[in-house]
């Protein structure tokens, strides 16, 4: 989007503007608060955001050539007065239905896994953390937070948006990067909010179709884009304020089991597998590094690859050249390590169908000599210490590179299988079913499974047990988001 800046003098001639004398920020914020309901906003005790979206699978499609459209819904209820909140959500796409609920009451917060029938402690009890994404889709809640952050907000240079003059105002938002609000110079309603993400670039929230509910103004349509690409397209949206709340909605349902203990992934770890492979990573990002007679081969190009590679060298004391990096598939989050691989001297291993997507992910377009193309099957290195690469197809990705290390009978996969828990059988999805089918068709002898998102090394039996227990997920009865 191209923005043409206007001088404040031009705005004074044509449109009513905020006087720059005195505290301009406070004057503008007061007018914004007034436009959205005045005292009703300032004295807000609770609110509920209910929204339904079409969700294009930008960067997460089955093939690079076609972006599928999924559906998502979220209901966030925040009881400001009693310091509690519940966030109910689901996403439905080609791989099935994925749903969850997080509820916090004071300092206690739990997340429910409906498919597994379990609950466990949430990563944070702060609604701005687990519900912040939904809060930012609401111009009204931005105004509520703005009213509390007057002293930290700053008036920026005026601009034109959609042919109308706007005041630009920066504001802090809890557990988020700084927000920039586009405030219409006549209505003082927020037309757009923009913030920056270190990985994905600019995030734009566009608000429209303003309505009144309980004396408070809100946009009944919000569209969200990532780096200019639509990510959430508003279908239905309703906000309500200061309603009578039922205590039961903040209480865990009966019949849930306590989830297993989670693995601590705060520190970088290296799991040695057999004599020639290390599974290295932290958080939700892992790679496999294999010592071969063709040098070190990396598998899994999630962001942070360089840190994982250097940790591998330290743990293994293997300083052979980094010769190849196997890219599992074309999804945006799994090609974040492209630059690191190229800078470390590795060739990128991919398939022809994904070549353009992988090339575009690099800050400087790679040459043809930077690639090694796989057509159905390839082998890097010799004998049992090499790496066998197989192109398979699942509901998750039409062309997925599965890597197999014969020496330890280990495969490396991404997204299809795994859990954050130290024990227990991971819950399967349709992608898990497809992956097991693909592995069985290859006829390889698999003992270990390493993944791109989990610290734990699984057995092939655990994959089989996961698939044996698979049932398609359905939206759980009684949840507000499921109606």
């Amino acid at each position: 989007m191209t923005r043409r800046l206007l001088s404040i003098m031009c705005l004074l001639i044509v449109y009513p503007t905020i006087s720059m004398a005195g505290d301009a920020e406070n004057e503008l914020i007061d007018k914004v608060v007034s436009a959205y309901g005045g005292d009703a906003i300032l004295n807000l005790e609770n609110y509920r955001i209910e929204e339904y979206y079409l969700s294009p699978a930008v960067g997460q499609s089955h093939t690079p050539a076609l972006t599928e459209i999924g559906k998502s819904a979220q209901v966030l209820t925040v009881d400001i007065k009693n310091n509690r909140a519940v966030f109910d959500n689901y996403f439905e796409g080609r791989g099935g239905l994925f749903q969850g609920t997080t509820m916090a009451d004071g300092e206690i917060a739990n997340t429910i896994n409906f498919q597994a029938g379990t609950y466990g402690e949430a990563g944070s009890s702060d609604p701005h953390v687990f519900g912040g994404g939904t809060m930012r889709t609401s111009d009204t809640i931005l105004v509520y937070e703005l009213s509390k952050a007057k002293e930290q907000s700053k008036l920026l240079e005026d601009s034109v948006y959609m042919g109308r003059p706007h005041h630009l105002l920066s504001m802090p938002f809890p557990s988020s990067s700084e927000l920039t609000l586009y405030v219409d110079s006549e209505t003082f309603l927020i037309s757009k909010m923009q913030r920056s993400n270190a990985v994905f670039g600019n995030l734009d929230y566009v608000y429209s179709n303003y309505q009144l509910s309980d004396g408070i103004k809100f946009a009944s349509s919000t569209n969200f884009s990532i780096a200019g690409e639509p990510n959430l397209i508003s279908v239905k949206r309703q906000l309500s304020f200061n309603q009578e709340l039922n205590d039961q909605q903040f209480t865990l349902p009966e019949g849930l089991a306590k989830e297993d203990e989670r693995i601590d992934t705060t520190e970088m770890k290296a799991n040695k597998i057999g004599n020639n492979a290390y599974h290295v990573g932290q958080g939700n990002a892992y790679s496999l590094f294999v010592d071969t007679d063709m040098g070190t081969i990396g598998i899994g190009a999630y962001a942070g690859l360089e840190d994982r590679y250097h940790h591998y060298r330290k743990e293994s004391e293997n300083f052979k050249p980094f010769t190849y990096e196997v890219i599992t598939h074309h999804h945006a989050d799994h090609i974040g390590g492209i630059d690191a691989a190229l800078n470390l001297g590795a060739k990128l291993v991919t398939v022809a169908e994904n070549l353009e997507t992988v090339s575009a992910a690099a800050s400087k377009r790679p040459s043809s000599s930077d690639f090694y193309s796989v057509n159905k099957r390839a082998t890097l290195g010799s004998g049992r210490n090499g790496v066998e690469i197989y192109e398979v197809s699942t509901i998750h990705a039409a062309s997925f590179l599965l890597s197999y290390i014969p020496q330890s009978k280990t495969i490396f996969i991404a997204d299809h299988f795994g859990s954050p828990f130290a024990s227990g059988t991971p819950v399967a999805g349709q992608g898990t079913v497809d992956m097991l089918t693909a592995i069985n068709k290859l006829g390889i002898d698999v003992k270990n499974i390493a993944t791109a998102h989990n610290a734990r090394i699984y057995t092939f039996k655990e994959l089989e047990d996961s698939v044996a227990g698979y049932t398609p997920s359905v939206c759980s009865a009684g949840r507000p988001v499921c109606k």
Side-chain angles (χ1 to χ4, degrees):
M1 175 177 59
T2 300
R3 298 186 302 173
R4 180 170 58 89
L5 296 179
L6 291 181
S7 69
I8 295 175
M9 183 60 71
C10 290
L11 291 176
L12 283 171
I13 295 172
V14 183
Y15 298 100
T17 61
I18 297 300
S19 168
M20 296 306 292
D23 190 345
E25 286 84 1
N26 282 345
E27 187 178 345
L28 175 58
I29 291 170
D30 288 344
K31 292 194 176 187
V32 173
V33 171
S34 178
Y36 277 87
D39 288 344
I41 286 282
L42 298 176
N43 300 319
L44 194 61
E45 293 188 353
N46 65 64
Y47 62 86
R48 172 186 166 109
I49 303 171
E50 181 178 355
E51 48 195 7
Y52 300 84
Y53 292 101
L54 292 178
S55 185
V58 177
Q60 301 292 324
S61 56
H62 189 237
T63 69
L66 178 65
T67 298
E68 296 85 25
I69 307 295
K71 296 186 294 184
S72 63
Q74 42 205 26
V75 178
L76 174 66
T77 304
V78 179
D79 185 355
I80 301 169
K81 182 179 179 180
N82 297 299
N83 190 29
R84 56 185 182 173
V86 58
F87 178 49
D88 204 19
N89 64 91
Y90 76 74
F91 170 79
E92 186 175 11
R94 66 184 183 278
L97 181 70
F98 304 89
Q99 55 182 324
T101 295
T102 300
M103 52 181 57
D105 188 353
E107 295 183 358
I108 300 172
N110 288 292
T111 296
I112 300 171
N113 183 329
F114 288 96
Q115 194 171 4
T118 61
Y119 74 94
E121 186 176 350
S124 173
S125 61
D126 183 356
H128 292 94
V129 175
F130 63 79
T134 301
M135 292 180 188
R136 289 185 290 271
T137 66
S138 170
D139 56 330
T140 309
I141 302 310
L142 297 185
V143 173
Y144 171 71
E145 295 291 344
L146 178 64
S147 71
K148 301 188 296 180
K150 275 188 173 184
E151 298 303 318
Q152 294 79 41
S153 300
K154 296 179 182 178
L155 194 59
L156 307 175
E157 187 173 0
D158 287 2
S159 183
V160 168
Y161 173 68
M162 293 293 182
R164 294 177 61 84
H166 282 71
H167 304 296
L168 268 60
L169 186 67
S170 70
M171 65 169 285
F173 193 91
S175 301
S176 169
S177 56
E178 189 176 71
L179 314 183
T180 298
L181 308 182
Y182 285 65
V183 180
D184 189 286
S185 298
E186 289 184 348
T187 66
F188 297 102
L189 299 176
I190 299 173
S191 302
K192 186 178 84 160
M193 182 271 283
Q194 187 176 78
R195 68 191 186 101
S196 181
N197 180 280
V199 176
F200 298 109
N202 286 336
L203 311 180
D204 288 290
Y205 304 69
V206 177
Y207 311 105
S208 60
N209 300 326
Y210 303 93
Q211 296 183 13
L212 199 65
S213 175
D214 308 306
I216 295 176
K217 192 72 66 77
F218 73 96
S220 64
S221 177
T222 298
N223 294 324
F224 172 61
S225 297
I226 299 176
E229 295 287 344
N231 186 261
L232 294 174
I233 301 171
S234 192
V235 174
K236 178 184 176 183
R237 202 157 187 280
Q238 181 62 48
L239 272 72
S240 56
F241 308 95
N242 298 329
Q243 301 294 301
E244 190 171 323
L245 300 177
N246 185 341
D247 291 342
Q248 187 174 357
Q249 71 183 104
F250 299 96
T251 305
L252 282 172
E254 295 181 356
L256 298 174
K258 186 77 170 63
E259 69 181 20
D260 294 327
E261 181 182 356
R262 290 176 178 258
I263 300 173
D264 183 359
T265 61
T266 54
E267 301 292 332
M268 186 78 75
K269 295 182 179 180
N271 298 312
K272 186 176 182 181
I273 308 174
N275 294 325
N276 71 329
Y278 281 79
H279 183 236
V280 182
Q282 69 183 120
N284 72 334
Y286 295 82
S287 294
L288 194 68
F289 297 99
V290 186
D291 178 14
T292 76
D293 57 359
M294 296 180 69
T296 296
I297 296 173
I299 310 165
Y302 212 81
L305 176 64
E306 187 170 3
D307 290 339
R308 295 193 294 276
Y309 173 66
H310 288 308
H311 190 77
Y312 158 73
R313 284 163 62 98
K314 177 182 175 182
E315 290 291 318
S316 66
E317 297 184 343
N318 177 7
F319 298 99
K320 289 182 180 179
F322 189 13
T323 51
Y324 293 95
E325 171 59 39
V326 181
I327 301 164
T328 56
H329 58 308
H330 66 284
H331 289 176
D333 51 333
H334 288 275
I335 53 179
I338 298 301
D339 280 344
L342 291 170
N343 291 338
L344 291 167
K347 285 182 179 289
L348 306 177
V349 181
T350 186
V351 296
E353 182 182 41
N354 297 339
L355 187 63
E356 179 57 35
T357 301
V358 173
S359 296
S363 57
K364 180 181 178 182
R365 190 173 183 86
S367 66
S368 58
S369 62
D370 291 319
F371 287 96
Y372 180 96
S373 186
V374 175
N375 183 14
K376 301 304 179 184
R377 178 175 177 175
T379 300
L380 299 175
S382 58
R384 288 174 51 79
N385 290 329
V387 177
E388 298 175 10
I389 303 169
Y390 299 91
E391 181 185 358
V392 301
S393 182
T394 70
I395 193 68
H396 189 70
S399 294
F400 185 95
L401 292 186
L402 179 153
S403 297
Y404 177 63
I405 297 84
Q407 198 275 335
S408 57
K409 300 180 180 179
T410 299
I411 61 170
F412 182 90
I413 57 177
D415 293 346
H416 292 76
F417 177 67
S419 82
F421 307 117
S423 60
T425 302
V427 176
Q430 183 59 52
T432 320
V433 177
D434 290 355
M435 181 57 73
L436 177 59
T437 300
I439 294 169
N440 286 336
K441 286 181 178 179
L442 295 175
I444 53 179
D445 183 10
V446 179
K447 178 181 178 182
N448 304 304
I449 302 173
T451 72
H453 289 308
N454 308 107
R456 175 176 156 196
I457 304 300
Y458 302 91
T459 66
F460 188 67
K461 176 68 163 51
E462 286 175 316
L463 175 60
E464 291 179 315
D465 289 346
S466 176
V467 171
Y470 168 69
T471 55
S473 179
V474 295
C475 213
S476 305
R479 295 172 58 211
V481 76
C482 293
K483 71 180 183 181

